[in-house]
């Protein structure tokens, strides 16, 4: 292949003249600095957030290179932003549902980190009062709010 391109290798390769006048191959030295990191981790990897535009969930990103690409199960449930300076993921709810978030490291060949975010709203309101109330009397009523999965808020 080299002959076809009229390239002639040096003989002897990388020869230099030492102080005695002999051709010798020089010692080649190099160094490389490595920063080793583990696979990316999202903490917490499962969270629930109440559906309100002023509400948000903050997830911490640990390990990894710091350069990521999001893989979202859908973009209807929440807006997702990565804050590089603090290594946080900010999740702002838009509608009720479940969002599965995958975080793929752009610099390292590693397993993606996953988190599941449930966005819940008020599913039902239950009011507990006595069956009968005497006219002119006060009673105590208990109001309970339940989310869309029927958990007490």
């Amino acid at each position: 292949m080299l002959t076809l391109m009229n390239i002639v290798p040096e003989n002897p390769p990388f020869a230099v003249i030492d102080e005695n006048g002999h051709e010798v191959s020089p010692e080649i030295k190099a160094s490389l600095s490595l920063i080793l990191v583990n696979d990316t981790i999202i903490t917490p990897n499962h969270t629930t957030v109440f559906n309100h535009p002023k509400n948000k969930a903050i997830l911490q990103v640990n390990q990894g290179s710091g350069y990521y690409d999001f893989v979202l199960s859908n973009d209807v449930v929440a807006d997702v932003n990565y804050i590089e300076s603090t290594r946080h993921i900010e999740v702002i709810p838009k509608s009720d549902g479940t969002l599965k978030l995958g975080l793929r490291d752009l610099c390292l060949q590693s397993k993606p980190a996953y988190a599941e975010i449930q966005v819940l709203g008020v599913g039902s309101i239950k009011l507990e009062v006595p069956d009968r109330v005497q006219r002119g009397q006060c009673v105590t009523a208990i109001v309970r709010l339940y989310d869309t999965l029927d958990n007490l808020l």
Side-chain angles (χ1 to χ4, degrees):
M1 180 67 151
L2 294 175
T3 311
L4 294 173
M5 301 174 89
N6 294 327
I7 298 174
V8 180
E10 190 176 338
N11 190 10
F14 307 111
V16 294
I17 307 294
D18 67 2
E19 59 251 359
N20 297 333
H22 297 100
E23 287 185 350
V24 294
S25 294
E27 183 178 338
I28 299 174
K29 295 181 181 179
S31 65
L32 177 66
S33 297
L34 294 176
I35 299 173
L36 303 175
V37 294
N38 292 327
D39 289 345
T40 305
I41 300 169
I42 301 174
T43 309
N45 62 355
H46 182 80
T47 189
T48 304
V49 61
F50 187 71
N51 187 6
H52 188 276
K54 292 185 179 179
N55 204 8
K56 62 183 166 183
I58 302 292
L59 308 175
Q60 177 69 45
V61 178
N62 297 313
Q63 306 296 328
S65 70
Y67 299 96
Y68 303 104
D69 186 29
F70 289 118
V71 179
L72 304 175
S73 61
N74 63 59
D75 57 353
V76 177
V77 175
D79 288 327
V80 179
N81 302 313
Y82 178 63
I83 303 166
E84 192 172 326
S85 60
T86 58
R87 294 180 65 111
H88 286 127
I89 297 173
E90 182 181 67
V91 180
I92 302 168
K94 294 194 300 188
S95 65
D96 293 356
T98 300
L99 174 67
K100 293 182 181 178
L101 165 72
L103 195 62
R104 188 174 56 91
D105 199 314
L106 296 174
C107 297
L108 302 172
Q109 289 186 359
S110 61
K111 296 180 285 184
Y114 292 103
E116 186 173 302
I117 299 104
Q118 285 187 319
V119 178
L120 302 173
V122 176
S124 62
I125 301 172
K126 295 186 180 176
L127 179 64
E128 293 181 14
V129 293
D131 289 340
R132 297 187 181 120
V133 179
Q134 186 176 0
R135 180 182 270 177
Q137 297 293 316
C138 293
V139 295
T140 302
I142 299 171
V143 178
R144 291 198 169 108
L145 296 174
Y146 291 88
D147 65 18
T148 50
L149 295 178
D150 209 28
N151 296 318
L152 187 63
L153 292 174

